[in-house]
Amino acid sequence: MEILESPQVLTASHQRSRQFGVDPDHVVNDILSGGELRDRQSRLRPLLSAAETVLKPLWKFLEKRSFMVLLSDADGYILSSWGKSPFTERAKMVQLSTGANWHERVKGTNAIGTALMERKPVSIVGSQHFCYENHFLTCYAAPLYTSTGELIGVLDISGEVHAHHPHTLGMVTAAAMACQSRLLLEESRRELTLALHAADAIMQTCAQPLLSVDGEGKIKRMNQAAEALFHVQASRCVGQPLEMLFGKHGAASILSLKNGDITELRLEESARSGVPDTWIVRAVKDERKHPFCTILSPMPAPSGPSAGDGRTSDADNKDEARSAPQRIIASCPKVKQVFALLRHIAKSNATVLIRGETGTGKEIAARELHRQSGRKGPFVVVNCGAIPESLIESELFGYEKGAFTGAQQKGQMGKFEAANQGTLFLDEIGELPLASQAVLLRVLEEKRVTRIGSHVSKPVDVRIVAATNRDLYQEVVQKRFRADLYFRLNEMEIVLPPLRERTDLDELIRHFLHEITAELNIPPLSIAPEAMHLLRQYQWPGNIRQLRHVIRQAVFRARFVKGKDAVGPGDLQLPDDELIESDSIRENPLPENPGRTSADEESRIALALREAGGNVSQAARLLKMGRTTLYRKLKQYPRLAVIRKEINE
């Protein structure tokens, strides 16, 4: 790891400090609150855990020498520190403690902030610090990287200026490298454990029967579908010879295959009645190309193309609750956080509000919430935006016979009753008229429904999940949505990220490509690098739903029109996203632009501040930015502070 010489560092760092608008006489500190600090510590828990093992011996060496050991994240926030009085007491006077931000934008030239900017180890001694209050410090810092080369934080040793020694920087650099090695070791161990768990999870969630057999012909794994097929328990089969399921002849045929990695095998006779006689055999090999294990699955029956776009009718709802879970692509960290939160709240009875742009998968999240809740009743969908206002109450609460002209003679059960002991998904809840909102609020509070034309109320046990692509808080401000209903629905909130902010676009593209070719019963298609580049550059105003339609159209065009084996850039129909005015874009006049410059960012924040009347929290919501991040941007761009002051005056 290259170490920078201080004179070259100082010239550039002091110039940046002045550009950031840092006042050397008066520092405006940035301190995290408890919740924000815990959130950042949680995100870097693997690093903090790995570093603690390395840094404990280092701290034992330094504790008698008036030094502190500190760890910061990539934004400059100190997340962990070790130190003893009296030095720590003096360090607290300049906020050299957990929760404080020591980026150059806040503190000017200092070891943590300058190491982050230069991305190399540095030492800042005494008066080399930009701010006068820090001149009593001598600090040594080295950046920390993940195994993929991503900057995740800084290791820093700070002490009194009279204790300065040039060799300390080398010690910090060596300790940082040791922390990175420890983190890599822990990541490798965790990935191995997760790979084993993933193999089991994939086996169990697959609706198709799957068996795994080792090189000696003994069963290693068996999923629930295979248990049902053979009418056995996996616990009694694992470790047993394959012949207990297929007979001696069938097992011998499977284990003697030499025809490649994937082979179709037709057994002469089935070991049990009802067991398929045609199986797909896949060989899994090690790095020496030797067979490690064999995966067995029955040949699937041919199926025609699926009709519709994935939405289900109410008639399907009862069976839906018992069906196998839909595969969810969630390798993006933002999506992982959403579904981790979803798992934690699934077992509760809290009302959940799912917010996200059109096409981000709100219904999929709601179905997953219902599936993991363990509720025995059905999952019932109501699209509040598709029902005429005059029929909303009859749809939700039902009606008695003769309740109004055109009513069915026997009356009709409402959606609340239909979802009893299950989940009622109120999609597009922002479209619900104010009059109906009042009735819905009463039902949510009383947990009883009264059919139209009846005076008798019935108790209902229903979990409510609502979804919207609107900012309901702004709807409340504009008097278009009841505040009491908003807070009643928003006991727990889940926000789905738009596709343009997700990091798993490539995985989604390949998933839909595989899904659609399998659905059409045609050989798999690849995708050209130029086509993949176009898909990555597109902004996706219609999100995941639009991506699926684009891939479907491209498959039809490539295979059936041009007879090709790969999707090329000419097969993609990507409308100009500036011409598509989705609901979210209409409501948010401040769209993200990954290629914007600093000037663009400053103008965008200024527009949001004016739109929010100087309210930082509201401006942060418009920008889809954390409040702490926005405050940091206000310091970064001095003109914004002037604009905010003018608005507030």
Side-chain angles (χ1 to χ4, degrees):
M1 188 181 290
E2 182 184 350
I3 299 176
L4 292 180
E5 295 298 327
S6 292
Q8 296 152 337
V9 173
L10 288 173
T11 302
S13 179
H14 278 249
Q15 184 177 358
R16 284 194 301 268
S17 301
R18 286 187 287 270
Q19 290 173 344
F20 289 144
V22 178
D23 185 348
D25 294 304
H26 179 69
V27 178
V28 180
N29 288 299
D30 179 6
I31 312 295
L32 289 179
S33 64
E36 292 172 315
L37 176 60
R38 285 191 296 271
D39 181 55
R40 285 180 177 267
Q41 289 172 332
S42 176
R43 276 181 273 170
L44 284 188
R45 186 64 59 198
L47 172 63
L48 297 176
S49 177
E52 187 172 2
T53 306
V54 175
L55 297 180
K56 273 187 177 179
L58 178 63
W59 163 238
K60 290 292 183 183
F61 175 74
L62 293 171
E63 65 178 338
K64 297 178 181 179
R65 293 170 171 80
S66 296
F67 277 100
M68 289 181 69
V69 179
L70 306 108
L71 265 177
S72 85
D73 65 10
D75 292 325
Y77 288 101
I78 297 174
L79 302 185
S80 188
S81 63
W82 298 264
K84 279 190 175 182
S85 297
F87 176 69
T88 54
E89 296 304 315
R90 189 175 182 188
K92 286 179 182 178
M93 296 175 64
V94 293
Q95 303 302 326
L96 186 62
S97 56
T98 303
N101 190 329
W102 277 70
H103 196 283
E104 280 188 349
R105 294 191 184 96
V106 178
K107 292 284 192 175
T109 303
N110 72 89
I112 293 175
T114 305
L116 283 172
M117 296 299 294
E118 299 289 349
R119 297 193 169 220
K120 291 178 182 176
V122 297
S123 64
I124 305 296
V125 182
S127 59
Q128 293 177 343
H129 288 86
F130 186 76
C131 296
Y132 299 129
E133 65 179 27
N134 299 326
H135 284 189
F136 75 97
L137 293 171
T138 180
C139 304
Y140 317 86
L144 296 165
Y145 296 92
T146 66
S147 57
T148 58
E150 178 187 358
L151 178 66
I152 54 170
V154 167
L155 171 62
D156 174 87
I157 292 178
S158 294
E160 299 274 4
V161 67
H162 61 76
H164 167 63
H165 194 289
H167 291 169
T168 308
L169 182 58
M171 181 170 59
V172 173
T173 305
M177 296 178 70
C179 288
Q180 291 172 185
S181 299
R182 183 75 185 187
L183 180 62
L184 176 60
L185 178 64
E186 293 298 330
E187 284 178 352
S188 301
R189 184 180 300 164
R190 180 172 174 269
E191 285 173 4
L192 177 60
T193 303
L194 289 175
L196 294 173
H197 289 325
D200 287 330
I202 291 169
M203 290 276 289
Q204 294 304 331
T205 56
C206 182
Q208 187 179 31
L210 290 177
L211 294 165
S212 173
V213 184
D214 66 16
E216 297 179 356
K218 292 183 179 180
I219 300 169
K220 295 179 64 176
R221 288 187 175 88
M222 185 178 193
N223 70 356
Q224 294 173 351
E227 287 181 305
L229 177 65
F230 289 99
H231 305 288
V232 295
Q233 291 182 348
S235 58
R236 296 184 178 180
C237 295
V238 173
Q240 299 300 315
L242 185 62
E243 63 186 52
M244 75 174 293
L245 299 179
F246 289 94
K248 289 185 178 180
H249 183 75
S253 298
I254 292 169
L255 297 174
S256 63
L257 287 173
K258 304 287 186 183
N259 297 328
D261 294 344
I262 302 179
T263 306
E264 179 183 328
L265 175 68
R266 185 175 179 85
L267 302 177
E268 293 183 4
E269 57 181 11
S270 295
R272 299 166 182 261
S273 61
V275 175
D277 57 6
T278 305
W279 289 73
I280 301 296
V281 183
R282 295 171 173 84
V284 178
K285 299 183 178 182
D286 62 19
E287 68 280 359
R288 297 172 298 172
K289 304 298 182 182
H290 293 168
F292 172 70
C293 71
T294 302
I295 306 295
L296 306 175
S297 59
M299 172 69 80
S303 59
S306 173
D309 61 355
R311 291 183 176 268
T312 57
S313 64
D314 293 330
D316 300 324
N317 283 324
K318 289 185 179 180
D319 293 333
E320 182 71 29
R322 300 174 181 86
S323 63
Q326 180 176 356
R327 185 191 172 199
I328 297 172
I329 305 297
S331 59
C332 171
K334 290 184 178 180
V335 182
K336 283 183 178 179
Q337 289 179 3
V338 167
F339 282 92
L341 174 61
L342 184 146
R343 285 193 297 272
H344 286 300
I345 65 178
K347 298 293 184 182
S348 72
N349 290 320
T351 302
V352 179
L353 177 64
I354 303 177
R355 193 158 55 82
E357 295 179 9
T358 298
T360 49
K362 296 186 287 295
E363 184 174 335
I364 290 176
R367 288 185 184 278
E368 185 66 7
L369 183 70
H370 170 71
R371 188 184 71 81
Q372 297 197 34
S373 70
R375 297 183 72 87
K376 298 178 181 179
F379 179 89
V380 177
V381 179
V382 177
N383 189 328
C384 300
I387 306 173
E389 183 173 350
S390 59
L391 298 178
I392 286 178
E393 291 185 28
S394 62
E395 282 288 318
L396 290 177
F397 314 120
Y399 55 85
E400 296 292 351
K401 61 180 181 179
F404 51 85
T405 303
Q408 295 184 18
Q409 291 185 353
K410 295 182 179 180
Q412 180 172 295
M413 177 189 295
K415 302 302 185 188
F416 269 86
E417 290 182 68
N420 192 40
Q421 295 189 326
T423 301
L424 181 61
F425 178 56
L426 300 175
D427 198 9
E428 299 185 32
I429 189 68
E431 304 287 342
L432 200 65
L434 282 168
S436 301
Q437 292 176 26
V439 183
L440 175 60
L441 177 64
R442 188 185 71 243
V443 174
L444 294 180
E445 295 289 350
E446 298 176 358
K447 295 181 172 56
R448 302 180 71 89
V449 295
T450 305
R451 292 188 182 185
I452 295 174
S454 174
H455 300 290
V456 179
S457 62
K458 298 180 180 180
V460 287
D461 174 18
V462 176
R463 169 75 168 280
I464 300 296
V465 180
T468 182
N469 53 27
R470 297 185 177 187
D471 184 343
L472 284 191
Y473 183 81
Q474 287 301 314
E475 295 293 296
V476 171
V477 172
Q478 298 297 326
K479 308 296 184 184
R480 292 192 292 261
F481 200 87
R482 292 179 63 102
D484 45 8
L485 179 58
Y486 168 74
F487 291 114
R488 184 65 180 81
L489 292 172
N490 196 20
E491 291 181 355
M492 291 297 299
E493 186 179 54
I494 292 175
V495 181
L496 295 176
L499 183 55
R500 61 183 174 274
E501 294 180 7
R502 292 179 58 158
T503 59
D504 53 2
L505 175 63
D506 287 14
E507 187 178 355
L508 284 163
I509 291 169
R510 293 189 176 95
H511 167 72
F512 286 136
L513 196 61
H514 173 77
E515 177 186 82
I516 292 164
T517 53
E519 177 184 305
L520 298 174
N521 200 21
I522 60 176
L525 269 69
S526 60
I527 184 165
E530 298 83 359
M532 185 67 85
H533 177 73
L534 285 177
L535 294 172
R536 289 170 182 156
Q537 297 301 312
Y538 193 61
Q539 289 297 296
W540 300 110
N543 293 292
I544 298 173
R545 186 179 298 131
Q546 183 190 9
L547 173 64
R548 189 177 191 277
H549 291 333
V550 167
I551 298 298
R552 175 183 287 277
Q553 291 172 4
V555 168
F556 271 88
R557 194 170 294 105
R559 169 62 70 184
F560 299 118
V561 177
K562 301 179 181 179
K564 299 190 303 181
D565 295 324
V567 172
D571 302 316
L572 301 174
Q573 285 190 331
L574 296 173
D576 186 349
D577 55 352
E578 293 179 1
L579 301 179
I580 298 178
E581 193 176 19
S582 69
D583 294 336
S584 59
I585 292 176
R586 278 199 303 270
E587 291 171 12
N588 184 2
L590 307 167
E592 292 284 344
N593 181 356
R596 65 177 180 266
T597 64
S598 297
D600 294 333
E601 182 177 61
E602 185 176 8
S603 300
R604 184 169 167 271
I605 295 173
L607 178 60
L609 284 171
R610 290 191 174 97
E611 190 80 16
N615 185 307
V616 174
S617 297
Q618 188 175 340
R621 280 195 294 272
L622 286 170
L623 292 160
K624 296 182 179 179
M625 180 186 293
R627 189 164 51 88
T628 303
T629 303
L630 182 53
Y631 273 115
R632 193 163 61 248
K633 297 290 185 185
L634 294 179
K635 293 177 182 177
Q636 179 181 347
Y637 303 115
R639 190 174 70 88
L640 295 176
V642 177
I643 292 173
R644 185 182 173 216
K645 184 177 180 181
E646 291 173 353
I647 294 171
N648 291 332
E649 289 176 351

